[in-house]
Amino acid sequence: MITKRQQREGREKAARLMREAGVVFQEQELEKLEVADFGLSRLETEGAQIFSLFDTKRLAARVITLFPYQTEPEHWHEPEGTGKEETFRVIAGTLLLYVDGEDTLSRGKIPEESRAYYTCRHELVLGPGDTVTLEPGKKHWFQAGEEPVVFYSMSTTASDARDPFTDPHIVRVTQITE
Ligand code: ZN
């Protein structure tokens, strides 16, 4: 759960960072910029600012902004059907991306409160212009480094509301209160 104020501030900060990174958008589109806390009510450590460029029946394009060490919790995209293939491409800042594999975690910080729900420890460090594609079904989580990060998430059909997360406490639809 987040407050309207947190939502407003999150949108403003994300909009400023996107603009500085050269992302083009219309002012009124900011109303659909999602400030997500994943139902955990600790937006600063586990949360994301998600701006959808478009969602069609086949494709989805997002610009995701994370503030320093803000983390999108570990999840995957079910491989049934064609599955969601997801490509990350960094626009500004550094993205720390974690997938299964040898434990190379050194720059990232696993959120203390939910340490048990972060099982991927193979660290990929992506800077501006770096691109990584994840096959459907591959578990992942990501985090900004010391500085905020702005990056694209391009994918086949998105099904955010149905994507499984490792942490059973996660509720994907953010509740907003006064
Ligand atoms: Zn994903």
Side-chain angles (χ1 to χ4, degrees):
M1 191 179 289
I2 62 169
T3 63
K4 279 190 171 159
R5 184 192 168 135
Q6 283 179 301
Q7 184 188 44
R8 192 181 62 243
E9 289 175 355
R11 276 182 180 158
E12 284 168 3
K13 266 166 75 180
R16 193 172 64 240
L17 290 163
M18 289 199 302
R19 222 174 260 124
E20 284 169 11
V23 177
V24 176
F25 54 90
Q26 297 166 358
E27 209 54 40
Q28 73 268 22
E29 287 186 290
L30 292 177
E31 280 164 38
K32 60 173 187 159
L33 193 155
E34 187 193 357
V35 177
D37 78 337
F38 303 96
L40 300 173
S41 303
R42 37 179 186 264
L43 188 61
E44 278 179 30
T45 48
E46 291 177 281
Q49 292 60 236
I50 304 167
F51 181 63
S52 171
L53 299 175
F54 61 83
D55 268 283
T56 73
K57 283 185 181 143
R58 295 184 183 191
L59 294 171
R62 314 252 148 97
V63 176
I64 302 178
T65 302
L66 300 175
F67 305 136
Y69 294 107
Q70 197 183 27
T71 308
E72 170 143 343
E74 186 175 278
H75 65 281
W76 62 98
H77 307 288
E78 291 288 18
E80 89 256 351
T82 49
K84 173 173 155 173
E85 181 189 274
E86 186 170 26
T87 295
F88 299 105
R89 182 178 172 92
V90 175
I91 308 170
T94 303
L95 178 67
L96 305 172
L97 173 65
Y98 297 89
V99 293
D100 269 332
E102 193 197 340
D103 185 345
T104 54
L105 189 147
S106 69
R107 291 178 62 167
K109 294 180 184 172
I110 295 180
E112 261 329 304
E113 302 89 333
S114 33
R115 178 162 278 278
Y117 308 118
Y118 288 83
T119 64
C120 297
R121 302 287 164 87
H122 189 70
E123 183 175 82
L124 301 172
V125 180
L126 280 68
D130 285 338
T131 303
V132 168
T133 298
L134 299 181
E135 297 302 315
K138 206 169 157 74
K139 234 179 236 183
H140 54 286
W141 58 277
F142 41 81
Q143 184 174 73
E146 287 168 13
E147 290 169 59
V149 64
V150 182
F151 61 102
Y152 291 113
S153 159
M154 306 284 192
S155 71
T156 50
T157 320
S159 52
D160 295 9
R162 286 185 284 116
D163 286 338
F165 281 79
T166 305
D167 184 345
H169 306 101
I170 284 177
V171 179
R172 186 56 191 84
V173 179
T174 305
Q175 302 284 328
I176 317 280
T177 61
E178 294 298 322

